[in-house]
Amino acid sequence: MRLLQKGIWREKLAVADLLERKGCNEFTLLEDQLSVGSRLFEIWWYVYEGQNHILAKGKQHPNQLYFFLLEPGDLFAVDDFRIYLETGELKHPVAVRYKKNGK
C-alpha cells in the first residue's frame, strides 16, 4: 500500500459523485465516522483503472483527502489509516499465498 496523493479540497465534496465522474463504477463506503484525535474521516474503497484504492476524506471543512493505492496482495483495515495519521508510516500487511498442499 502506498500513498498516491494528499491534499485539501475547499469546495463541497460528495465522494460518490467524484468517483463516478472519474469513471469508477465499483466503490463502497467502508467507514463513515472514523475518529482520529479530534478529526473525523470517511474511508472509501474504490477501483480505478483496474486497481484497488482507498480514499480517506476528512469530514471537517475544508476536507482533507488521502488517496492510497493497494498493490496486489495488500490487505487494508480501517485502523491502518488511523495508524498512518498517528505515526506517519504505512503498515504493509500482505496476504500470504500458499501453493497446493500447503507449501
XYZ file of all heavy atoms in Angstrom:
863
model
N 0.863 -1.167 0.000
C 0.000 0.000 0.000
C 0.904 1.223 0.000
O 1.898 1.267 0.705
C -0.875 -0.023 1.260
C -1.777 1.164 1.380
S -3.034 1.032 2.668
C -2.075 1.072 4.133
N 0.546 2.192 -0.824
C 1.342 3.418 -0.842
C 0.447 4.632 -1.031
O -0.610 4.560 -1.670
C 2.429 3.359 -1.894
C 1.954 3.288 -3.307
C 3.165 3.140 -4.248
N 2.752 2.718 -5.555
C 2.606 3.534 -6.598
N 2.855 4.809 -6.470
N 2.223 3.068 -7.766
N 0.880 5.733 -0.442
C 0.166 6.997 -0.565
C 0.427 7.559 -1.948
O 1.583 7.728 -2.353
C 0.657 7.977 0.506
C 0.027 9.355 0.490
C -1.453 9.287 0.860
C 0.767 10.288 1.437
N -0.646 7.831 -2.687
C -0.509 8.435 -4.015
C -0.511 9.949 -3.937
O 0.260 10.623 -4.612
C -1.642 7.972 -4.927
C -1.672 6.507 -5.304
C -2.901 6.211 -6.141
C -0.412 6.124 -6.067
N -1.441 10.481 -3.122
C -1.600 11.925 -3.068
C -2.377 12.295 -1.817
O -3.218 11.539 -1.345
C -2.360 12.393 -4.309
C -2.476 13.873 -4.445
C -3.142 14.272 -5.762
O -3.641 13.437 -6.509
N -3.149 15.547 -6.054
N -2.081 13.470 -1.272
C -2.895 14.028 -0.205
C -3.041 15.514 -0.462
O -2.206 16.124 -1.128
C -2.312 13.746 1.176
C -1.006 14.414 1.476
C -0.539 14.046 2.875
C 0.788 14.708 3.179
N 1.222 14.423 4.543
N -4.130 16.063 0.040
C -4.362 17.474 -0.193
C -5.608 17.961 0.511
O -6.239 17.235 1.278
N -5.965 19.199 0.216
C -7.126 19.858 0.809
C -8.115 20.172 -0.310
O -7.726 20.676 -1.364
C -6.715 21.179 1.502
C -5.678 20.923 2.590
C -7.925 21.913 2.044
C -6.197 20.214 3.810
N -9.386 19.863 -0.078
C -10.447 20.175 -1.028
C -11.320 21.247 -0.384
O -11.932 21.013 0.642
C -11.265 18.920 -1.327
C -12.237 19.092 -2.438
C -13.525 19.534 -2.345
C -12.016 18.828 -3.820
N -14.109 19.570 -3.581
C -13.198 19.138 -4.506
C -10.918 18.356 -4.546
C -13.321 18.979 -5.881
C -11.043 18.213 -5.907
C -12.239 18.527 -6.561
N -11.376 22.414 -0.985
C -12.066 23.555 -0.376
C -13.541 23.653 -0.742
O -14.295 24.344 -0.088
C -11.344 24.840 -0.731
C -9.908 24.824 -0.244
C -9.276 26.179 -0.224
N -7.877 26.116 0.100
C -7.374 25.936 1.312
N -8.189 25.770 2.319
N -6.075 25.913 1.507
N -13.960 22.975 -1.798
C -15.358 23.009 -2.231
C -16.145 21.914 -1.506
O -15.564 20.998 -0.933
C -15.430 22.752 -3.739
C -14.504 23.594 -4.577
C -15.146 24.872 -5.038
O -16.360 24.876 -5.257
O -14.415 25.856 -5.187
N -17.462 21.983 -1.590
C -18.288 20.904 -1.062
C -17.999 19.642 -1.887
O -17.890 19.713 -3.101
C -19.763 21.281 -1.161
C -20.669 20.277 -0.513
C -22.110 20.740 -0.528
C -22.977 19.667 0.108
N -24.372 20.033 0.135
N -17.862 18.495 -1.211
C -17.439 17.289 -1.908
C -18.279 16.093 -1.500
O -18.362 15.759 -0.324
C -15.967 16.995 -1.599
C -15.389 15.713 -2.162
C -15.354 15.768 -3.678
C -13.998 15.469 -1.616
N -18.902 15.468 -2.485
C -19.580 14.186 -2.300
C -18.701 13.141 -2.975
O -18.511 13.173 -4.194
C -20.975 14.212 -2.912
N -18.138 12.229 -2.192
C -17.164 11.273 -2.719
C -17.763 10.416 -3.831
O -17.129 10.188 -4.859
C -16.586 10.398 -1.584
C -15.737 9.280 -2.146
C -15.761 11.256 -0.633
N -18.984 9.930 -3.643
C -19.604 9.083 -4.668
C -19.682 9.823 -6.004
O -19.391 9.244 -7.057
C -20.973 8.615 -4.219
N -20.037 11.097 -5.985
C -20.098 11.888 -7.222
C -18.713 12.040 -7.848
O -18.556 11.921 -9.061
C -20.694 13.271 -6.959
C -22.163 13.226 -6.605
O -22.824 12.214 -6.914
O -22.652 14.207 -6.015
N -17.713 12.295 -7.024
C -16.344 12.431 -7.515
C -15.888 11.139 -8.193
O -15.345 11.167 -9.305
C -15.397 12.761 -6.362
C -13.905 12.708 -6.672
C -13.510 13.831 -7.623
C -13.091 12.778 -5.401
N -16.125 10.002 -7.552
C -15.682 8.725 -8.108
C -16.424 8.400 -9.403
O -15.820 7.914 -10.361
C -15.858 7.615 -7.078
C -14.965 7.744 -5.835
C -15.296 6.659 -4.823
C -13.494 7.736 -6.194
N -17.716 8.675 -9.446
C -18.471 8.435 -10.684
C -17.960 9.317 -11.812
O -17.847 8.862 -12.952
C -19.963 8.654 -10.441
C -20.595 7.528 -9.651
C -22.068 7.737 -9.367
O -22.564 8.878 -9.492
O -22.723 6.753 -8.992
N -17.631 10.575 -11.530
C -17.080 11.471 -12.567
C -15.749 10.958 -13.090
O -15.404 11.179 -14.248
C -16.915 12.894 -12.021
C -18.194 13.675 -11.919
C -17.938 15.163 -11.702
N -16.973 15.453 -10.669
C -17.258 15.824 -9.419
N -18.513 15.937 -9.037
N -16.306 16.076 -8.550
N -14.966 10.281 -12.243
C -13.673 9.733 -12.646
C -13.820 8.390 -13.355
O -12.827 7.784 -13.752
C -12.766 9.557 -11.418
C -12.346 10.855 -10.808
C -11.393 11.577 -11.713
C -10.868 12.840 -11.066
N -10.054 13.614 -11.975
N -15.057 7.895 -13.505
C -15.280 6.640 -14.217
C -15.237 5.406 -13.338
O -15.163 4.288 -13.852
N -15.285 5.589 -12.029
C -15.283 4.447 -11.105
C -16.715 3.957 -10.919
O -17.582 4.724 -10.533
C -14.729 4.859 -9.745
S -13.062 5.506 -9.803
N -16.942 2.691 -11.224
C -18.281 2.160 -11.017
C -18.317 1.136 -9.889
O -19.352 0.598 -9.572
C -18.861 1.568 -12.305
C -17.980 0.483 -12.878
O -16.989 0.092 -12.288
N -18.339 0.001 -14.049
N -17.170 0.859 -9.288
C -17.096 -0.022 -8.118
C -16.506 0.775 -6.965
O -15.333 1.138 -6.987
C -16.212 -1.233 -8.393
C -16.760 -2.194 -9.413
C -15.824 -3.385 -9.578
O -15.674 -4.142 -8.606
O -15.240 -3.499 -10.658
N -17.323 1.066 -5.963
C -16.843 1.758 -4.771
C -17.822 1.514 -3.638
O -18.988 1.193 -3.860
C -16.653 3.260 -5.015
C -17.857 3.975 -5.539
C -18.824 4.487 -4.678
C -18.028 4.158 -6.900
C -19.932 5.164 -5.175
C -19.126 4.828 -7.405
C -20.078 5.336 -6.537
N -17.300 1.638 -2.418
C -18.159 1.479 -1.253
C -17.572 2.249 -0.079
O -16.355 2.403 0.041
C -18.350 -0.010 -0.884
O -19.385 -0.123 0.069
C -17.090 -0.625 -0.334
N -18.462 2.726 0.768
C -18.072 3.414 1.993
C -17.768 2.353 3.040
O -18.640 1.576 3.421
C -19.207 4.333 2.461
C -18.980 5.100 3.760
C -17.796 6.045 3.642
C -20.246 5.873 4.123
N -16.517 2.290 3.498
C -16.114 1.301 4.497
C -16.402 1.777 5.916
O -16.753 0.987 6.779
C -14.614 0.995 4.379
C -14.131 0.410 3.063
C -12.617 0.271 3.071
C -14.799 -0.935 2.798
N -16.202 3.071 6.150
C -16.397 3.635 7.494
C -16.862 5.072 7.346
O -16.247 5.838 6.610
C -15.089 3.574 8.274
C -15.137 4.209 9.643
C -16.080 3.492 10.601
O -15.963 2.259 10.721
O -16.930 4.162 11.212
N -17.930 5.424 8.042
C -18.491 6.760 7.932
C -17.987 7.719 9.006
O -18.008 8.928 8.810
C -20.019 6.683 7.985
C -20.672 8.014 7.707
O -20.215 8.731 6.806
O -21.644 8.358 8.415
N -17.532 7.200 10.132
C -17.177 8.058 11.261
C -15.890 7.594 11.935
O -15.877 7.342 13.138
C -18.308 8.048 12.304
C -19.627 8.598 11.835
C -19.646 10.107 11.809
O -18.954 10.758 12.583
N -20.411 10.680 10.912
N -14.794 7.487 11.215
C -13.532 7.096 11.833
C -12.975 8.299 12.585
O -12.708 9.339 11.998
C -12.516 6.625 10.787
C -11.144 6.258 11.349
C -11.246 5.014 12.223
C -10.147 6.062 10.236
N -12.798 8.149 13.877
C -12.294 9.222 14.720
C -10.799 9.041 14.939
O -10.349 7.982 15.396
C -13.033 9.203 16.060
O -12.519 10.194 16.909
N -10.041 10.077 14.602
C -8.592 10.087 14.834
C -8.286 11.404 15.541
O -8.325 12.462 14.923
C -7.788 9.980 13.524
C -6.294 9.962 13.815
C -8.203 8.764 12.726
N -8.026 11.318 16.839
C -7.860 12.538 17.630
C -9.165 13.316 17.613
O -10.222 12.769 17.902
N -9.107 14.562 17.213
C -10.316 15.395 17.148
C -10.910 15.433 15.742
O -11.856 16.173 15.485
C -9.986 16.818 17.599
O -9.039 17.400 16.714
N -10.360 14.635 14.819
C -10.819 14.659 13.430
C -11.664 13.429 13.104
O -11.458 12.350 13.649
C -9.625 14.719 12.480
C -8.781 15.962 12.682
C -7.590 15.977 11.781
N -6.599 15.025 12.262
C -5.441 14.795 11.659
N -5.146 15.417 10.541
N -4.588 13.921 12.154
N -12.612 13.616 12.193
C -13.446 12.522 11.696
C -13.181 12.325 10.210
O -12.995 13.296 9.473
C -14.939 12.836 11.888
C -15.464 12.811 13.315
C -16.909 13.283 13.344
C -15.365 11.420 13.897
N -13.202 11.057 9.778
C -12.946 10.724 8.387
C -13.958 9.717 7.875
O -14.465 8.895 8.628
C -11.540 10.104 8.227
C -10.433 11.072 8.419
C -9.911 11.302 9.684
C -9.914 11.766 7.344
C -8.878 12.203 9.866
C -8.882 12.664 7.517
C -8.359 12.890 8.786
N -14.213 9.796 6.568
C -14.904 8.739 5.830
C -13.800 7.937 5.137
O -12.864 8.515 4.589
C -15.806 9.310 4.731
C -16.964 10.105 5.209
C -17.741 10.730 4.048
O -17.358 10.563 2.870
O -18.736 11.398 4.340
N -13.933 6.613 5.132
C -12.968 5.755 4.451
C -13.703 5.021 3.335
O -14.692 4.324 3.590
C -12.326 4.734 5.421
C -11.743 5.428 6.657
C -11.279 3.899 4.690
C -10.591 6.362 6.374
N -13.234 5.180 2.100
C -13.848 4.595 0.910
C -12.875 3.632 0.234
O -11.672 3.907 0.172
C -14.196 5.685 -0.098
C -15.291 6.599 0.326
C -15.193 7.647 1.202
C -16.635 6.564 -0.100
N -16.403 8.253 1.329
C -17.308 7.614 0.545
C -17.344 5.740 -0.973
C -18.659 7.855 0.344
C -18.686 5.983 -1.176
C -19.328 7.031 -0.520
N -13.407 2.553 -0.303
C -12.669 1.656 -1.193
C -13.233 1.879 -2.584
O -14.438 2.055 -2.767
C -12.881 0.195 -0.781
C -12.486 -0.767 -1.864
C -11.240 -1.257 -2.103
C -13.329 -1.325 -2.873
N -11.256 -2.085 -3.199
C -12.543 -2.145 -3.693
C -14.692 -1.210 -3.175
C -13.054 -2.844 -4.779
C -15.205 -1.898 -4.255
C -14.381 -2.714 -5.044
N -12.354 1.896 -3.603
C -12.828 2.025 -4.986
C -11.842 1.380 -5.948
O -10.681 1.147 -5.615
C -13.076 3.493 -5.357
C -11.841 4.371 -5.393
C -11.208 4.651 -6.597
C -11.325 4.934 -4.226
C -10.085 5.468 -6.640
C -10.205 5.749 -4.258
C -9.594 6.005 -5.458
O -8.487 6.810 -5.501
N -12.334 1.078 -7.138
C -11.499 0.538 -8.208
C -11.354 1.638 -9.255
O -12.342 2.204 -9.718
C -12.142 -0.716 -8.845
C -11.324 -1.180 -10.046
C -12.265 -1.828 -7.817
N -10.105 1.931 -9.618
C -9.818 2.914 -10.657
C -8.780 2.306 -11.590
O -7.720 1.872 -11.152
C -9.288 4.211 -10.028
C -8.971 5.283 -11.035
C -9.979 5.891 -11.774
C -7.664 5.688 -11.256
C -9.689 6.871 -12.700
C -7.365 6.673 -12.174
C -8.381 7.262 -12.902
O -8.100 8.239 -13.826
N -9.112 2.273 -12.866
C -8.254 1.693 -13.901
C -7.802 0.279 -13.515
O -6.634 -0.088 -13.677
C -7.059 2.606 -14.186
C -7.487 3.943 -14.790
C -6.325 4.843 -15.146
O -5.179 4.595 -14.711
O -6.567 5.821 -15.865
N -8.731 -0.495 -12.971
C -8.480 -1.892 -12.652
C -7.690 -2.142 -11.378
O -7.353 -3.285 -11.085
N -7.399 -1.097 -10.615
C -6.631 -1.258 -9.386
C -7.442 -0.800 -8.179
O -8.231 0.151 -8.267
C -5.330 -0.460 -9.450
C -4.384 -0.976 -10.524
C -3.085 -0.228 -10.513
O -3.069 0.990 -10.641
N -1.985 -0.958 -10.371
N -7.222 -1.472 -7.040
C -7.907 -1.128 -5.792
C -7.253 0.071 -5.128
O -6.021 0.159 -5.066
C -7.874 -2.315 -4.822
C -8.708 -3.464 -5.308
O -9.865 -3.294 -5.658
N -8.125 -4.642 -5.342
N -8.103 0.962 -4.630
C -7.639 2.172 -3.956
C -8.441 2.397 -2.683
O -9.546 1.892 -2.542
C -7.831 3.404 -4.848
C -6.986 3.421 -6.067
N -7.255 2.657 -7.178
C -5.860 4.115 -6.351
C -6.338 2.896 -8.103
N -5.485 3.772 -7.624
N -7.876 3.236 -1.814
C -8.558 3.709 -0.618
C -8.528 5.232 -0.658
O -7.498 5.830 -0.980
C -7.859 3.215 0.674
C -7.896 1.697 0.767
C -8.474 3.865 1.915
C -9.271 1.084 0.934
N -9.667 5.843 -0.341
C -9.753 7.294 -0.205
C -10.226 7.596 1.205
O -11.238 7.061 1.654
C -10.743 7.878 -1.222
C -11.186 9.329 -1.019
C -10.008 10.285 -1.023
C -12.210 9.726 -2.060
N -9.466 8.422 1.909
C -9.872 8.900 3.224
C -10.205 10.378 3.078
O -9.394 11.163 2.594
C -8.761 8.697 4.239
N -11.431 10.734 3.478
C -11.903 12.119 3.344
C -12.247 12.662 4.723
O -13.052 12.087 5.446
C -13.145 12.170 2.462
C -13.778 13.542 2.396
C -15.176 13.475 1.801
C -15.883 14.762 2.057
N -17.152 14.620 2.703
N -11.593 13.768 5.092
C -11.914 14.437 6.353
C -13.319 15.020 6.295
O -13.755 15.509 5.255
N -14.025 14.958 7.422
C -15.406 15.443 7.449
C -15.498 16.931 7.783
O -16.535 17.541 7.569
C -16.229 14.618 8.438
C -16.378 13.170 7.933
C -17.267 12.350 8.802
C -18.658 12.358 8.461
N -19.382 11.604 7.577
N -14.417 17.524 8.312
C -14.433 18.947 8.599
C -14.027 19.720 7.351
O -13.221 19.252 6.562
C -13.468 19.286 9.758
C -13.911 18.750 11.096
C -13.452 17.325 11.369
O -12.792 16.696 10.548
N -13.815 16.779 12.518
N -14.618 20.906 7.190
C -14.339 21.735 6.025
C -13.162 22.651 6.340
O -13.120 23.214 7.423
C -15.570 22.556 5.659
C -15.398 23.312 4.381
N -15.465 22.705 3.162
C -15.112 24.601 4.155
C -15.259 23.602 2.226
N -15.039 24.760 2.805
N -12.191 22.871 5.459
C -12.035 22.202 4.169
C -11.627 20.749 4.373
O -10.978 20.410 5.349
C -10.942 23.005 3.475
C -10.147 23.623 4.579
C -11.104 23.833 5.714
N -12.015 19.910 3.426
C -11.817 18.467 3.555
C -10.380 18.062 3.243
O -9.838 18.425 2.212
C -12.739 17.702 2.608
C -14.194 18.049 2.805
O -14.803 18.658 1.950
N -14.750 17.661 3.929
N -9.793 17.271 4.147
C -8.504 16.646 3.869
C -8.786 15.390 3.057
O -9.728 14.654 3.353
C -7.796 16.251 5.157
C -7.367 17.414 5.998
C -6.726 16.924 7.280
O -7.293 16.118 7.990
N -5.538 17.410 7.561
N -7.975 15.138 2.028
C -8.123 13.950 1.198
C -6.800 13.192 1.148
O -5.736 13.792 0.982
C -8.525 14.319 -0.239
C -9.851 15.027 -0.422
C -10.035 15.408 -1.882
C -10.994 14.155 0.044
N -6.896 11.868 1.287
C -5.738 10.984 1.192
C -6.101 9.871 0.221
O -7.102 9.183 0.428
C -5.398 10.371 2.552
C -4.967 11.367 3.589
C -5.900 12.067 4.338
C -3.621 11.601 3.828
C -5.502 12.974 5.309
C -3.208 12.504 4.805
C -4.162 13.191 5.534
O -3.763 14.081 6.486
N -5.302 9.683 -0.829
C -5.520 8.641 -1.821
C -4.409 7.601 -1.701
O -3.228 7.956 -1.771
C -5.505 9.227 -3.234
C -6.632 10.178 -3.510
C -6.513 11.533 -3.226
C -7.814 9.714 -4.062
C -7.556 12.405 -3.483
C -8.856 10.578 -4.326
C -8.728 11.926 -4.038
N -4.795 6.334 -1.530
C -3.841 5.232 -1.400
C -4.086 4.207 -2.489
O -5.231 3.926 -2.848
C -4.007 4.521 -0.047
C -3.755 5.400 1.137
C -4.789 6.090 1.736
C -2.481 5.530 1.656
C -4.570 6.902 2.840
C -2.247 6.332 2.761
C -3.296 7.023 3.353
N -3.007 3.617 -2.980
C -3.075 2.507 -3.924
C -2.829 1.224 -3.150
O -1.849 1.121 -2.402
C -2.017 2.650 -5.018
C -1.853 1.449 -5.947
C -3.106 1.229 -6.788
C -0.626 1.637 -6.827
N -3.711 0.245 -3.315
C -3.499 -1.084 -2.751
C -2.872 -1.930 -3.846
O -3.476 -2.153 -4.887
C -4.821 -1.700 -2.297
C -5.525 -0.981 -1.155
C -6.849 -1.658 -0.844
C -4.647 -0.933 0.072
N -1.659 -2.364 -3.620
C -0.954 -3.165 -4.609
C -1.349 -4.629 -4.446
O -1.874 -5.023 -3.398
C 0.547 -2.929 -4.464
C 0.868 -1.472 -4.777
C 2.288 -1.052 -4.517
O 2.803 -1.304 -3.419
O 2.872 -0.471 -5.427
N -1.151 -5.449 -5.473
C -1.561 -6.859 -5.391
C -1.023 -7.533 -4.126
O 0.155 -7.400 -3.800
C -0.961 -7.479 -6.652
C -0.898 -6.341 -7.624
C -0.552 -5.134 -6.775
N -1.909 -8.199 -3.400
C -1.546 -8.874 -2.166
C -1.699 -8.035 -0.917
O -1.656 -8.550 0.187
N -1.882 -6.702 -1.067
C -2.052 -5.834 0.096
C -3.395 -6.086 0.765
O -4.401 -6.328 0.094
C -2.005 -4.351 -0.294
C -0.611 -3.838 -0.567
O 0.349 -4.580 -0.306
O -0.487 -2.702 -1.040
N -3.390 -5.986 2.076
C -4.615 -6.026 2.863
C -4.803 -4.651 3.476
O -3.837 -3.953 3.754
C -4.511 -7.076 3.970
C -4.237 -8.506 3.526
C -4.058 -9.405 4.740
C -5.380 -9.018 2.660
N -6.051 -4.253 3.702
C -6.313 -2.952 4.305
C -7.379 -3.103 5.366
O -8.412 -3.734 5.136
C -6.798 -1.944 3.246
C -7.170 -0.612 3.842
C -6.195 0.325 4.144
C -8.493 -0.311 4.133
C -6.531 1.539 4.714
C -8.834 0.905 4.694
C -7.862 1.842 4.991
N -7.121 -2.530 6.524
C -8.118 -2.409 7.583
C -8.268 -0.917 7.875
O -7.307 -0.142 7.730
C -7.667 -3.158 8.828
N -9.451 -0.513 8.274
C -9.709 0.908 8.518
C -8.708 1.474 9.526
O -8.253 2.609 9.385
C -11.170 1.110 8.983
C -11.406 2.529 9.442
C -12.134 0.764 7.837
N -8.316 0.693 10.519
C -7.345 1.178 11.510
C -5.975 1.456 10.902
O -5.175 2.172 11.503
C -7.220 0.197 12.668
C -8.278 0.438 13.727
O -8.882 1.538 13.744
O -8.511 -0.468 14.546
N -5.681 0.910 9.718
C -4.413 1.217 9.052
C -4.293 2.719 8.784
O -3.204 3.289 8.865
C -4.271 0.453 7.739
C -4.142 -1.043 7.940
O -3.837 -1.476 9.071
O -4.357 -1.775 6.963
N -5.416 3.370 8.463
C -5.385 4.810 8.215
C -5.134 5.563 9.518
O -4.364 6.523 9.548
C -6.682 5.287 7.558
C -6.679 6.767 7.285
C -5.809 7.313 6.356
C -7.514 7.621 7.986
C -5.775 8.680 6.120
C -7.498 8.979 7.753
C -6.625 9.514 6.819
N -5.749 5.120 10.603
C -5.515 5.746 11.906
C -4.020 5.649 12.258
O -3.408 6.624 12.683
C -6.349 5.060 12.985
C -6.152 5.645 14.372
C -6.758 4.809 15.488
N -7.954 4.108 15.154
C -9.196 4.593 15.279
N -9.357 5.837 15.694
N -10.233 3.852 14.974
N -3.431 4.466 12.062
C -2.011 4.268 12.346
C -1.163 5.198 11.483
O -0.195 5.804 11.959
C -1.617 2.791 12.126
C -2.285 1.917 13.194
C -0.104 2.616 12.136
C -2.231 0.431 12.895
N -1.537 5.357 10.209
C -0.802 6.262 9.320
C -0.829 7.693 9.856
O 0.200 8.364 9.909
C -1.381 6.207 7.904
C -0.834 7.305 7.018
C 0.468 7.251 6.543
C -1.613 8.408 6.694
C 0.986 8.265 5.761
C -1.103 9.421 5.912
C 0.191 9.355 5.441
O 0.704 10.372 4.672
N -1.999 8.179 10.284
C -2.082 9.553 10.782
C -1.318 9.726 12.094
O -0.724 10.777 12.328
C -3.538 9.963 10.980
C -4.327 10.259 9.707
C -5.731 10.712 10.062
C -3.653 11.308 8.855
N -1.330 8.708 12.929
C -0.670 8.806 14.226
C 0.849 8.659 14.130
O 1.581 9.274 14.891
C -1.241 7.767 15.187
C -2.674 8.079 15.591
C -3.342 6.971 16.391
O -2.778 5.857 16.481
O -4.438 7.219 16.914
N 1.339 7.836 13.195
C 2.777 7.551 13.120
C 3.456 8.122 11.881
O 4.683 8.213 11.850
C 3.029 6.025 13.119
O 2.525 5.474 11.899
C 2.398 5.351 14.322
N 2.675 8.437 10.850
C 3.248 8.904 9.593
C 3.789 7.777 8.731
O 4.414 8.014 7.716
N 3.550 6.527 9.164
C 4.047 5.378 8.418
C 2.904 4.481 7.985
O 1.907 4.345 8.690
C 5.009 4.562 9.286
C 6.264 5.313 9.650
C 7.210 4.475 10.487
O 7.031 3.245 10.527
O 8.106 5.064 11.097
N 3.075 3.873 6.827
C 2.098 2.905 6.337
C 2.538 1.512 6.757
O 3.699 1.139 6.577
C 1.998 2.963 4.817
C 1.344 4.212 4.255
C 1.531 4.264 2.748
C -0.131 4.225 4.588
N 1.629 0.774 7.318
C 1.888 -0.628 7.616
C 1.683 -1.394 6.323
O 0.922 -0.985 5.464
C 0.940 -1.154 8.700
C 1.066 -0.410 10.007
C 2.410 -0.673 10.634
C 2.556 0.082 11.934
N 3.876 0.058 12.467
N 2.334 -2.504 6.171
C 2.240 -3.262 4.935
C 1.800 -4.694 5.193
O 2.556 -5.641 4.952
C 3.573 -3.252 4.182
C 3.958 -1.888 3.711
N 3.391 -1.301 2.618
C 4.813 -0.993 4.215
C 3.901 -0.094 2.456
N 4.765 0.118 3.417
N 0.578 -4.883 5.702
C 0.115 -6.262 5.855
C -0.121 -6.865 4.477
O -0.747 -6.255 3.620
C -1.193 -6.128 6.631
C -1.655 -4.741 6.355
C -0.419 -3.916 6.090
N 0.428 -8.029 4.268
C 0.338 -8.675 2.960
C -0.260 -10.063 3.138
O 0.070 -10.776 4.080
C 1.736 -8.773 2.312
C 1.684 -9.541 1.003
C 2.309 -7.382 2.084
N -1.139 -10.424 2.231
C -1.738 -11.758 2.262
C -0.672 -12.796 1.932
O 0.152 -12.601 1.046
C -2.885 -11.844 1.258
N -0.682 -13.871 2.665
C 0.238 -14.974 2.404
C -0.442 -15.917 1.421
O -1.574 -16.329 1.632
C 0.589 -15.726 3.706
C 1.488 -16.918 3.403
C 1.258 -14.785 4.681
N 0.229 -16.227 0.356
C -0.339 -17.121 -0.659
C 0.348 -18.478 -0.576
O 1.581 -18.556 -0.535
C -0.181 -16.518 -2.033
C -0.945 -15.219 -2.106
C -1.050 -14.702 -3.497
N -1.821 -13.478 -3.417
C -1.763 -12.525 -4.271
N -0.986 -12.635 -5.313
N -2.492 -11.444 -4.126
N -0.443 -19.494 -0.522
C 0.084 -20.859 -0.431
C -0.169 -21.589 -1.731
O -1.191 -21.419 -2.366
C -0.595 -21.611 0.714
C -0.279 -21.046 2.071
C -1.128 -20.116 2.678
C 0.884 -21.407 2.736
C -0.826 -19.593 3.920
C 1.198 -20.884 3.980
C 0.331 -19.981 4.560
O 0.639 -19.454 5.781
N 0.781 -22.418 -2.080
C 0.594 -23.284 -3.237
C -0.208 -24.503 -2.790
O -0.481 -24.677 -1.608
C 1.951 -23.722 -3.790
C 2.769 -22.560 -4.330
C 4.090 -23.048 -4.849
C 4.932 -21.858 -5.322
N 6.259 -22.276 -5.763
N -0.563 -25.355 -3.720
C -1.278 -26.575 -3.376
C -0.516 -27.378 -2.341
O 0.715 -27.319 -2.301
C -1.512 -27.425 -4.619
C -2.552 -26.859 -5.542
C -2.832 -27.804 -6.682
C -3.917 -27.245 -7.555
N -4.244 -28.137 -8.657
N -1.222 -28.113 -1.527
C -0.658 -28.951 -0.470
C 0.003 -28.130 0.642
O 0.861 -28.616 1.344
C 0.338 -29.967 -1.023
C -0.300 -30.901 -2.027
O -1.470 -31.237 -1.900
N 0.458 -31.294 -3.036
N -0.401 -26.847 0.782
C 0.075 -26.025 1.892
C 1.516 -25.590 1.825
O 2.079 -25.157 2.809
N 2.152 -25.699 0.683
C 3.572 -25.313 0.571
C 3.710 -23.980 -0.112
O 2.962 -23.572 -0.896
C 4.337 -26.376 -0.213
C 4.348 -27.702 0.525
C 5.100 -28.705 -0.298
C 5.072 -30.051 0.394
N 5.742 -31.079 -0.367
